[in-house]
Amino acid sequence: LKTIKNPSDVVLERLVFKHVREDVYLMADAYDGSKIKNTVYDFLNASSGKFAANIYLNDTLQLKFGGFADLCAYVGHNGLMDFQANIDLENYNKKEKDVIIIGCYSKAYFEPYIKECGANPLIWSTGLMSAEAYTLEWALDGWVLKESDNDVRTRAAKAYNNYQKCGLKASLNLLR
């Protein structure tokens, strides 16, 4: 629906999509890789309900993302493997949101922060992995259809196995 170039000094491009059948919108930010700390902090703040991103599609339709979203996702290098986040988190809007974290060992590194946020860890990893968008895409398909958390995780694992050829059991063990 919309492409925004350089919406901030750390985001190179922002895209807005609408699901073809459901009334669900997605905002995807492409962060500058050298700004990984900002990326992690923005994700954690959005997961806690603090970070807000508002986009006007036209004069009458304003979309609220970030802390207002029902789901926040992070796909990429696990920056917390390189630094410890010094961030004050809590569930600011008292709303539990789902989070998906597709990056190496994301459960081990993100778990204490996600607990502070009061978010529901829908999918995160227990080991090294290839952090690619197809895993998120398949998971989102199930989430949009309001499938159970387990079914959404299974979709993600099937996607990972489909592309990585590591076996469904291994994918299910990797993505919890």
Side-chain angles (χ1 to χ4, degrees), residues 20-32:
V20 292
R21 291 180 305 280
E22 303 295 328
D23 192 30
V24 175
Y25 292 86
L26 170 79
M27 180 185 83
D29 281 349
Y31 277 77
D32 180 337

Side-chain angles (χ1 to χ4, degrees), residues 49-150:
K50 188 175 181 183
F51 176 81
N54 300 316
I55 297 174
Y56 289 90
L57 288 184
N58 55 45
D59 291 339
T60 59
L61 184 57
Q62 176 189 16
L63 302 174
K64 295 183 175 211
F65 293 103
F68 296 109
D70 295 321
L71 179 137
C72 293
Y74 180 98
V75 179
H77 172 66
N78 179 352
L80 292 176
M81 294 174 79
D82 303 326
F83 63 86
Q84 188 164 4
N86 183 14
I87 186 170
D88 181 34
L89 297 168
E90 62 182 79
N91 189 332
Y92 288 94
N93 56 11
K94 306 303 180 215
K95 173 184 175 184
E96 183 179 281
K97 70 176 72 244
D98 291 325
V99 294
I100 295 174
I101 309 167
I102 299 173
C104 296
Y105 293 103
S106 57
K107 182 177 187 220
Y109 286 87
F110 279 86
E111 187 170 25
Y113 301 104
I114 296 304
K115 283 183 178 180
E116 282 184 58
C117 293
N120 173 43
L122 187 56
I123 298 169
W124 49 18
S125 69
T126 59
L128 293 172
M129 69 174 299
S130 179
E132 297 178 351
Y134 52 79
T135 308
L136 176 63
E137 179 185 8
W138 287 33
L140 287 175
D141 286 344
W143 185 86
V144 166
L145 295 173
K146 298 181 179 12
E147 293 180 357
S148 71
D149 289 4
N150 190 56

